[in-house]
Amino acid sequence: MTTVVEQDGIPKWHGFMSALLQALSDGHSRTRSELVKQAMDIVGLTEEQRAVQLDSGSLKAKGRVGWAISHLIAATALARPDNALYVITDVGRQLLLRYPEGLAQAQLREIEAYRQHRAEVRAARREISTTPEADVLDEDADPIDAIEAAIERIKAEAGTELVQRLRESDPAFFEQAVVDLLLRMGYGGAEQRGRRIGGSGDGGVDGVIDQDALGLDRIYVQAKRYADGNTVGRETIQAFVGALHGVGASRGVFITTSTFTSGARQYAENVPSRIILIDSARLVALMIKYRVGVQVKQSYDVVELDEDFFE
């Protein structure tokens, strides 16, 4: 059986079930933290993979191992002789013997206790849900993954509308928006030293951010509202670099609602001046992250059992 993994190499939650059973197959009990670490060791997760975080800040791999533990307990493959320890059961040993190549949720459904548990979960979900979609959720999916995917979809839809509104906005509005974004990101210090300078006679720059109180260290900004498909080429970036030299600057940020050609990116990487290029995709991601042009509509709390409470 092939374990399903994603681009970051972290298996889905059911990809950790065999590793959990293997970790306990020596007959010794383990604490939850010991069990989680050993399962990750058996799967072969790197330190980088263990450190991958979801948007919520929680650790992705740790959450999936925890979900696998919950399902194995529901299937009576794992047991807790006391609140702080986990052990393998005869059911768990049988699963290891019958499915040496790995486990999926389908194998757990062969166990009556697990089927009963899932039926109780579905009943509880219908009881607390106010939407008909509750009955059609993919039970093989990690609920946290489903939440993250749904949030990403909402962000993508908001991002599409956001970039369209920026393209339709007045040039002065867009220039101020990108200055606001850089200030929200922390540039300009606590005093928010940044301003729009676009307009006639702007010298080829649309905004400036002072990194110190005297304005000795400055970042200059160029903001271009381009339609999708109207890419920013090398010549435009060369002109921006020239404008920077005209004001004695060596650092700049070029932001567009379109994309950059490969020639423009290569030029920006090789020129002595420090030039950061931000295309529409990155612009939208930053505006959403730093809440510029968007606002939080709703917040949801995700709960889990407090293991310390039961110790």
Side-chain angles (χ1 to χ4, degrees):
M1 182 177 299
T2 302
T3 299
V4 178
V5 297
E6 297 178 344
Q7 290 184 347
D8 55 22
I10 301 175
K12 295 288 190 179
W13 68 265
H14 44 75
F16 288 100
M17 290 196 295
S18 289
L20 288 165
L21 296 176
Q22 291 173 28
L24 293 169
S25 62
D26 60 5
H28 296 294
S29 59
R30 287 172 175 78
T31 64
R32 187 181 182 89
S33 60
E34 292 171 340
L35 183 55
V36 169
K37 180 182 183 303
Q38 194 165 349
M40 291 184 183
D41 291 342
I42 292 172
V43 170
L45 292 189
T46 65
E47 291 302 319
E48 291 76 14
Q49 289 170 325
R50 300 177 198 218
V52 171
Q53 293 185 345
L54 300 171
D55 287 346
S56 61
S58 60
L59 296 175
K60 186 176 186 178
K62 183 179 179 181
R64 290 186 173 180
V65 177
W67 194 244
I69 290 174
S70 296
H71 280 262
L72 288 174
I73 289 176
T76 66
L78 295 184
R80 287 188 291 252
D82 63 50
N83 288 328
L85 299 175
Y86 294 82
V87 296
I88 192 172
T89 67
D90 290 339
V91 172
R93 294 186 186 280
Q94 287 299 315
L95 287 173
L96 271 181
L97 289 174
R98 292 174 61 187
Y99 304 105
E101 296 182 0
L103 284 168
Q105 195 173 24
Q107 281 75 58
L108 298 187
R109 292 195 183 102
E110 298 172 2
I111 302 170
E112 173 61 28
Y114 186 77
R115 293 197 300 271
Q116 179 62 32
H117 168 77
R118 299 313 300 168
E120 293 172 356
V121 169
R122 287 192 295 272
R125 195 164 64 203
R126 287 193 294 268
E127 183 72 21
I128 65 176
S129 177
T130 59
T131 60
E133 288 81 2
D135 286 336
V136 296
L137 292 175
D138 182 3
E139 288 199 347
D140 289 332
D142 183 335
I144 301 301
D145 287 345
I147 292 171
E148 293 284 332
I151 291 173
E152 288 304 313
R153 179 180 173 183
I154 292 171
K155 286 182 178 179
E157 292 177 355
T160 299
E161 184 176 356
L162 178 60
V163 74
Q164 185 60 38
R165 293 288 292 273
L166 292 173
R167 287 170 178 159
E168 296 171 352
S169 67
D170 180 84
F173 178 89
F174 181 55
E175 292 162 3
Q176 185 62 51
V178 299
V179 170
D180 291 343
L181 172 61
L182 292 172
L183 292 176
R184 189 70 64 86
M185 292 173 66
Y187 297 100
E191 299 176 6
Q192 297 285 279
R193 296 178 294 269
R195 65 189 185 280
R196 185 184 77 85
I197 57 176
S200 60
D202 62 12
V205 294
D206 298 320
V208 60
I209 308 293
D210 292 333
Q211 290 293 82
D212 60 88
L214 296 179
L216 298 175
D217 186 12
R218 288 180 164 179
I219 300 174
Y220 286 87
V221 183
Q222 180 69 277
K224 290 295 184 183
R225 295 175 308 116
Y226 283 177
D228 187 25
N230 185 10
T231 56
V232 178
R234 176 190 175 109
E235 297 79 7
T236 304
I237 303 303
Q238 284 179 312
F240 180 49
V241 172
L244 292 179
H245 290 167
V247 294
S250 61
R251 294 192 296 172
V253 181
F254 195 111
I255 301 176
T256 182
T257 54
S258 182
T259 57
F260 298 94
T261 65
S262 58
R265 291 190 178 280
Q266 185 175 9
Y267 177 79
E269 290 176 358
N270 296 330
V271 72
S273 301
R274 178 64 170 161
I275 307 298
I276 302 299
L277 304 183
I278 298 179
D279 61 14
S280 61
R282 190 177 182 191
L283 172 61
V284 164
L286 290 172
M287 291 184 72
I288 291 176
K289 179 178 180 179
Y290 291 97
R291 301 294 189 260
V292 177
V294 299
Q295 60 184 347
V296 176
K297 182 179 180 180
Q298 283 181 296
S299 297
Y300 298 91
D301 293 327
V302 177
V303 300
E304 65 177 0
L305 284 181
D306 183 355
E307 295 292 340
D308 294 336
F309 177 81
F310 292 98
E311 291 184 1

